[in-house]
Amino acid sequence: HAKKSGRNTFRAYRKGMDELIEKRRALEADIERGLERDEFELYLQPRVSALDGSIIGYEALLRWNHPERGMVHPGDFIPVAEVSGKIIGLGEWVLREACRLAVELPPEVHLSVNVSPVQFRHPDFLGRIEAILKETSVAPQQLELEITESVLIDDERARLILGHLKSLGLKIALDDFGTGYSSLSYLSRYPFDVIKIDRSFVSALGEEETANAIVRTIIELGNGLGMRVVAEGVETVEQAGYLCAAGCDELQGYLLGRPLPVNRIAREISETVVTELTRIARLSAHR
Ligand code: C2E
Ligand code: MG
Ligand code: MG
Ligand code: MG
């Protein structure tokens, strides 16, 4: 009896696996088709100065207008794109699109682009970036690449690549800081221009005593090392007030503006930003 039920469990497991593999294959093919049919789109979310509320730049966030599934978020396809290698083509599309966009923006407005660890590890990562910079004639100073701590494990290569990217004039941000492998020594060993405090710490502000201490420490550390510190996922005026008072340089989050398609950016964001930041500034002034 036990043997039989074991066999059934195994069959169910196999069936589950087969379905999963099938689903993944379909998604891989779909990504390929999506690129051919121009279904991907960059949304922009503003990064706002904590000093005066001005827009410093935007983060480009990938969206997929899928013909059947509707709007698909990166969390639902980037992992599959990474495993299958499709992220290489997709990442190039993102970078090219961001460069073309940056050329249209005023030169002081920055654009930041997320780079997958899989892209970063690709042997021709630098070559492809250089080719796209050349092809689009973008000013590299306008572009910032957001990487995560997982790429820093391969110490020597990571340092060489980051150094090369810097020498091209690009800025480098360390995304999701505080999650993952976080080692303080990373901060002094690599030439980051920006660190982004992960949303999990920002959303815990005012709720968990430790979050306030961690956020304050990251800001002091970043500033002490000459880096700009950006807070991700700012949703409330209270969070913004705390971050401003603690010396955070830039705020990003739904409070300041949601990610929006490029053609809706100018109108909808400025109003939110202006009203909210006037309130925030008033709040910080009271402190
Ligand atoms: P991320 O780079 O840390 O981006 C921030 C994410 O937080 C975005 O989710 C953004 O929409 C969301 N967000 C911003 N403000 C708030 C807020 O106030 N509250 C909440 N709850 N969420 C907020 P999104 O667009 O779904 O992207 C998720 C992740 O997917 C990104 O995290 C990034 O790691 C990755 N990603 C996005 N676009 C690309 C891309 O073009 N290439 C690669 N390789 N990865 C990308
Ligand atoms: Mg990011
Ligand atoms: Mg992040
Ligand atoms: Mg992330």
Side-chain angles (χ1 to χ4, degrees), residues 59 146 175-176 196 198 232:
E59 176 173 2
E146 297 193 2
D175 202 356
D176 304 340
K196 301 187 80 174
D198 191 69
E232 298 192 287

Side-chain angles (χ1 to χ4, degrees), residues 26-43 61-67 69-82 84 86-95 97-98 100 261-262:
L27 188 59
E28 280 174 35
D30 242 21
I31 292 174
E32 193 74 45
R33 265 198 308 271
L35 273 172
E36 283 162 16
R37 293 181 193 173
D38 213 22
E39 292 167 3
F40 291 95
E41 186 176 358
L42 290 187
Y43 273 36
L61 294 161
L62 189 56
R63 296 291 181 264
W64 186 3
N65 299 300
H66 194 281
R69 300 201 288 150
M71 186 62 82
V72 190
H73 279 248
D76 294 329
F77 62 91
I78 296 257
V80 171
E82 288 180 328
S84 63
K86 297 276 179 248
I87 191 69
I88 301 299
L90 202 53
E92 267 186 60
W93 181 89
V94 168
L95 194 66
E97 199 67 13
R100 287 182 181 157
V262 173

Side-chain angles (χ1 to χ4, degrees), residues 44-196:
L44 298 183
Q45 185 180 34
R47 274 168 50 173
V48 169
S49 162
L51 283 182
D52 60 10
S54 61
I55 294 178
I56 292 187
Y58 298 92
E59 176 173 2
L61 294 161
L62 189 56
R63 296 291 181 264
W64 186 3
N65 299 300
H66 194 281
E68 287 113 40
R69 300 201 288 150
M71 186 62 82
V72 190
H73 279 248
D76 294 329
F77 62 91
I78 296 257
V80 171
E82 288 180 328
V83 172
S84 63
K86 297 276 179 248
I87 191 69
I88 301 299
L90 202 53
E92 267 186 60
W93 181 89
V94 168
L95 194 66
R96 183 174 292 112
E97 199 67 13
C99 288
R100 287 182 181 157
L101 210 62
V103 170
E104 304 291 319
L105 292 170
E108 68 278 7
V109 177
H110 290 177
L111 218 54
S112 56
V113 178
N114 292 284
V115 172
S116 155
V118 177
Q119 277 176 280
F120 192 89
R121 276 187 231 118
H122 190 278
D124 197 28
F125 175 60
L126 282 174
R128 304 210 176 190
I129 290 209
E130 284 184 87
I132 293 171
L133 291 181
K134 204 164 155 200
E135 170 198 324
T136 57
S137 319
V138 70
Q141 293 73 15
Q142 234 178 312
L143 275 191
E144 189 174 289
L145 303 183
E146 297 193 2
I147 62 161
T148 49
E149 286 157 322
S150 63
V151 307
L152 304 177
I153 295 170
D154 182 1
D155 203 49
E156 215 25 60
R157 181 172 181 271
R159 211 207 317 272
L160 279 172
I161 293 201
L162 291 178
H164 193 104
L165 293 172
K166 293 275 297 180
S167 74
L168 292 173
L170 296 164
K171 295 198 173 57
I172 313 287
L174 184 54
D175 202 356
D176 304 340
F177 185 74
T179 63
Y181 305 85
S182 286
S183 152
L184 287 186
S185 66
Y186 285 157
L187 284 185
S188 56
R189 262 188 295 159
Y190 300 98
F192 300 112
D193 301 281
V194 168
I195 49 180
K196 301 187 80 174

